[in-house]
Structure formats: structure tokens, C-alpha cells
Amino acid sequence: MNRGCASCGWAGLPIREVCPNCDGTTWLETSQALGTVRAVTRVHRSLGSALDPAQVLALVELDSGGWVIGAGSDPEVGARVAVGQDQVLAPA
């Protein structure tokens, strides 16, 4: 579950104690954050070790404002996705 600011409605990741938009501190539970995939990359090596299979990461522009990098199976640029608190992408 994600949280949205009760004062201005901002909902982004990671979850914060103070709203970056209005400095509010009252939060409401919201559904997953929705957004659009803007870029995708595949990481084949991490700290000198090969990753097999490669880890797929996507840059997601959130509908509520802001950006998040999430992991997904094979998102396409322009795809609509839902991003959970664990920052795993799922089709929206």
C-alpha cells in the first residue's frame, strides 16, 4: 500500500514522513502509484559479477508527480504501470 498526502494529494515513492510538495505530515492510504515508463535499461553486471538473467530497470514518471526507478520483467517505453512500495512494476 502507498500513501498520499492528505493536504495536497501528492503520492510518490519512496514513502516519506514529510510531503515534499507542501510539507504536510498527514497521510492517507492509497492504491499503487500509477505512471508511464519513460526509459528502460538492462543491467548485465553488478559489482564485477555477471547477472543472468540481466536485471531490467525502468524509469517511471508518476502520474502524481515525480519519478521512480523500478524493476520489471520487460516493461516497454510508453507502457502504463503500477509501482508498489517495493518498487516492482506491474501492468496498470
Side-chain angles (χ1 to χ4, degrees):
M1 208 44 121
N2 290 321
R3 299 190 305 177
C5 179
S7 297
C8 72
W10 181 91
L13 296 169
I15 291 195
R16 301 165 187 205
E17 295 302 316
V18 177
C19 177
N21 191 49
C22 73
D23 294 328
T25 57
T26 304
W27 299 92
L28 303 172
E29 294 296 318
T30 64
S31 61
Q32 292 180 317
L34 299 176
T36 304
V37 174
R38 297 298 182 201
V40 176
T41 190
R42 286 162 182 75
V43 180
H44 296 276
R45 295 188 69 76
S46 175
L47 298 173
S49 300
L51 297 177
D52 188 23
Q55 183 172 9
V56 180
L57 300 175
L59 178 64
V60 178
E61 181 178 10
L62 299 174
D63 293 350
S64 58
W67 298 78
V68 67
I69 295 174
S73 59
D74 201 15
E76 294 184 17
V77 172
R80 296 284 298 154
V81 294
V83 184
Q85 173 59 23
D86 55 3
Q87 292 178 244
V88 173
L89 308 180

